[in-house]
């Protein structure tokens, strides 16, 4: 294919990733917690809803049966449906009716939105990453992420300002309307970006059966990658889904205003962007397995810091924790996808990515669900645990620290010495 078309495709892919990131910001973390708090959900329930991101990965298995040959049109349709449902999350609180009914609609909408997103995701990544030279994947992924993070800072400040202003006016409904309109505009722009991005002629894909999927699972390299995915999802989803509510909760949390959340998000973005290209270049030279092991260790330091985070020191300690976590995620997000490209043969990459994300996503959701009763118990006990005055995320962060150490041990034993496939 003409290099000019490929170059244009890579540029559009970079912009598309940023726009998609803007939408994801508005349906996660403190923005999601603002919606769920308005609808009357508690911290544990918010944590479970946050983990729908992980559960949605299970739906990626559907992609193995849906996509064959050219996938661009189907991906665009699914992406539009996904983003319209995300927009609906800001409309549901505005509707008349019982809060419990609106809560049910809200949970259904976000679950179906992630269903559509994850059906399209493996084929979308396979399509767009095919435009990138294999020898430059690490640096390209890093550059794409840096652009998303930097533009995301300005976007987060703007949307947080909307929330804070109308919250002070006791008029969150107007804030929800403004954000919903913004999400509709983002959906239109995102759609045009994908329409104008070139698609390479695909290699022939055989029709998938359960037998062919199991044959991919028999590949020892696919198994290793899936285990790495799963271990990390267990570690991160044991605590991070509860952080959004923890930051803004004035009774059982740190009580941050949205403007401070924006500042901490900006610091996070700068730290992550500063290291994204560093990790990408390091991985291209020394392997993604080596890189992800170091990043797991840095994430562990971040979880350790959060064990000591309380309302009295939260403004400082949580921010430092967030910096360490940002540095770690600059490499981890890059490595998880690219491990499939590093360890799995070309003909199995898309299927391996879908299977790995599906299994680890289910494991992550089940982890959050299993931890949620502990969070509810600690809050119901007046933030007491084992006779100590502890907030729930302090306890879950300790659990995440231990599980992250398991990730490091596994990668060290089974993957670091492995040559590229």
């Amino acid at each position: 294919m003409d290099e000019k078309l490929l170059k244009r495709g890579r540029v559009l892919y970079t912009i598309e990733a940023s726009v998609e990131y803007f939408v994801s910001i508005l349906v996660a973390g403190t923005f999601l917690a603002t919606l769920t708090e308005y609808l009357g959900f508690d911290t544990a329930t918010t944590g479970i809803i946050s983990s729908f991101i992980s559960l949605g990965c299970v739906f990626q298995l559907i992609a193995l049966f849906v996509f064959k040959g050219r996938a661009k049109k189907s991906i665009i349709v699914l992406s539009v449906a996904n983003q319209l449902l995300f927009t609906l999350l800001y409309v549901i609180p505005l509707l008349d009716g019982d809060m419990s009914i609106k809560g049910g609609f809200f949970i259904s909408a976000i679950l179906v939105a992630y269903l559509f997103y994850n059906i399209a995701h493996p084929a979308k990544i396979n399509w767009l990453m095919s435009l990138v030279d294999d020898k430059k994947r690490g640096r390209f992924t890093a550059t794409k992420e840096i652009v998303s993070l930097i533009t995301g800072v300005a976007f987060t400040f703007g949307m947080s300002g909307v929330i804070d202003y109308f919250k002070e006016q006791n008029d969150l409904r107007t804030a929800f309307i403004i954000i919903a309109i913004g999400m509709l505009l983002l959906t239109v722009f995102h759609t045009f970006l994908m329409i104008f991005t070139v698609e390479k002629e695909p290699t022939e894909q055989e029709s998938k059966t359960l037998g062919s999927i199991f044959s991919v699972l028999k590949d020892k390299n696919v198994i290793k990658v899936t285990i790495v995915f799963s271990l990390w999802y267990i570690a991160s989803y044991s605590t991070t889904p509860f952080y959004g509510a923890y930051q803004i909760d004035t009774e059982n949390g740190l009580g941050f205003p949205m403007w401070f959340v924006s500042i901490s998000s900006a610091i996070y973005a700068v730290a992550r962007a500063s290291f994204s290209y560093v990790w990408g270049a390091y991985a291209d030279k020394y392997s993604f397995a080596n890189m992800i092991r170091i990043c797991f260790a840095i994430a562990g330091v971040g979880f350790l810091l959060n064990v000591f985070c309380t309302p009295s020191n939260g403004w400082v300690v949580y921010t430092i924790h967030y910096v360490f976590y940002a540095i770690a995620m600059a490499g981890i997000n890059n490595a998880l996808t690219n491990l499939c490209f590093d360890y799995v043969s070309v003909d199995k990459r898309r299927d391996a990515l879908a299977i790995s994300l599906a299994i680890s996503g289910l494991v992550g959701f089940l982890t959050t669900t299993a931890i949620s009763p502990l969070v509810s118990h600690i809050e119901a006990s007046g933030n007491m645990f084992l006779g100590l005055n502890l907030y729930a995320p302090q306890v879950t962060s300790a659990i995440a620290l231990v599980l992250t150490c398991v990730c490091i041990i596994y990668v060290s034993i089974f993957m670091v010495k492995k040559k590229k496939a």
Side-chain angles (χ1 to χ4, degrees):
M1 182 172 286
D2 182 26
E3 179 56 32
K4 288 185 178 180
L5 289 176
L6 292 175
K7 184 176 181 179
R8 187 188 74 180
R10 291 191 291 269
V11 171
L12 291 176
Y13 179 22
T14 300
I15 300 171
E16 178 273 335
S18 294
V19 176
E20 188 173 71
Y21 178 57
F22 296 165
V23 175
S24 72
I25 287 172
L26 296 174
V27 293
T30 51
F31 286 96
L32 177 63
T34 300
L35 285 169
T36 57
E37 183 180 60
Y38 188 89
L39 291 169
F41 293 124
D42 59 19
T43 301
T45 305
T46 299
I48 293 174
I49 294 172
S50 297
S51 68
F52 280 178
I53 299 172
S54 176
L55 178 63
C57 293
V58 176
F59 303 133
Q60 295 197 15
L61 288 176
I62 299 174
L64 303 184
F65 301 95
V66 171
F67 295 104
K68 181 183 178 182
R70 289 190 177 274
K72 179 176 172 177
K73 289 182 181 179
S74 299
I75 291 168
I76 291 173
V77 171
L78 288 167
S79 294
V80 171
N82 149 245
Q83 291 175 353
L84 288 177
L85 283 168
F86 278 152
T87 303
L88 186 61
L89 298 181
Y90 281 89
V91 176
I92 290 173
L94 308 176
L95 303 176
D96 294 328
D98 186 83
M99 278 294 188
S100 61
I101 296 175
K102 289 195 287 187
F105 279 129
F106 184 90
I107 292 173
S108 299
I110 195 169
L111 188 58
V112 176
Y114 280 119
L115 164 65
F116 291 149
Y117 173 84
N118 284 283
I119 290 175
H121 186 69
K124 178 184 172 185
I125 293 298
N126 196 57
W127 158 31
L128 297 174
M129 285 300 288
S130 71
L131 308 178
V132 182
D133 186 328
D134 271 354
K135 295 179 181 178
K136 298 179 180 179
R137 281 188 284 107
R139 281 162 287 186
F140 174 81
T141 304
T143 301
K144 175 169 62 72
E145 183 171 83
I146 288 169
V147 173
S148 293
L149 290 168
I150 292 174
T151 54
V153 168
F155 183 79
T156 301
F157 266 107
M159 293 299 100
S160 294
V162 171
I163 293 288
D164 271 344
Y165 176 79
F166 287 103
K167 195 171 187 179
E168 288 178 3
Q169 307 298 317
N170 198 28
D171 186 21
L172 272 177
R173 292 174 64 88
T174 300
F176 293 163
I177 291 171
I178 292 172
I179 293 175
I181 293 171
M183 292 179 77
L184 280 175
L185 294 175
L186 288 173
T187 298
V188 173
F189 185 39
H190 183 262
T191 302
F192 276 107
L193 287 168
M194 288 194 295
I195 288 172
F196 289 109
T197 301
V198 68
E199 182 181 26
K200 273 188 173 182
E201 189 67 37
T203 55
E204 277 301 313
Q205 294 284 337
E206 62 176 7
S207 297
K208 297 298 176 184
T209 64
L210 286 177
S212 62
I213 291 175
F214 282 122
S215 71
V216 174
L217 272 173
K218 291 178 183 177
D219 187 316
K220 64 180 182 180
N221 287 327
V222 175
I223 293 172
K224 286 182 179 181
V225 171
T226 301
I227 291 174
V228 174
F229 274 52
S230 298
L231 289 174
W232 172 244
Y233 272 57
I234 291 171
S236 61
Y237 276 85
S238 66
T239 191
T240 54
F242 306 106
Y243 285 170
Y246 185 50
Q247 290 180 72
I248 63 173
D249 193 332
T250 55
E251 182 179 350
N252 297 305
L254 304 173
F256 293 161
M258 286 296 289
W259 65 262
F260 181 76
V261 172
S262 296
I263 290 175
S264 62
S265 296
I267 294 171
Y268 173 95
V270 170
R272 185 164 168 175
S274 299
F275 278 83
S276 286
Y277 196 83
V278 173
W279 290 133
Y282 180 91
D284 284 340
K285 185 174 181 179
Y286 296 106
S287 86
F288 286 96
N290 271 301
M291 184 261 277
I292 202 171
R293 178 174 61 170
I294 298 172
C295 292
F296 282 156
I298 296 171
V301 174
F303 290 136
L304 176 62
L305 285 167
N306 227 26
V307 172
F308 301 99
C309 184
T310 64
S312 62
N313 63 26
W315 291 58
V316 175
V317 176
Y318 189 85
T319 301
I320 298 173
H321 143 80
Y322 214 21
V323 169
F324 274 92
Y325 192 67
I327 294 170
M329 290 307 296
I332 292 171
N333 260 18
N334 191 331
L336 285 177
T337 298
N338 279 296
L339 278 174
C340 270
F341 286 78
D342 247 7
Y343 280 75
V344 181
S345 59
V346 175
D347 60 310
K348 294 180 180 179
R349 283 177 178 176
R350 187 178 75 181
D351 297 353
L353 183 62
I355 291 170
S356 295
L357 286 172
I359 293 173
S360 58
L362 177 59
V363 168
F365 175 76
L366 293 176
T367 299
T368 302
T369 304
I371 294 290
S372 291
L374 173 63
V375 172
S376 295
H377 170 73
I378 293 172
E379 291 188 350
S381 301
N383 298 314
M384 297 295 294
F385 181 71
L386 299 179
L388 300 172
N389 183 208
L390 293 171
Y391 289 85
Q394 290 180 272
V395 178
T396 59
S397 294
I399 295 171
L401 171 60
V402 173
L403 294 169
T404 302
C405 290
V406 175
C407 294
I408 296 168
I409 293 169
Y410 180 83
V411 172
S412 298
I413 294 174
F414 295 103
M415 300 198 74
V416 165
K417 294 181 180 180
K418 171 71 177 155
K419 300 291 185 183
K420 270 193 175 185

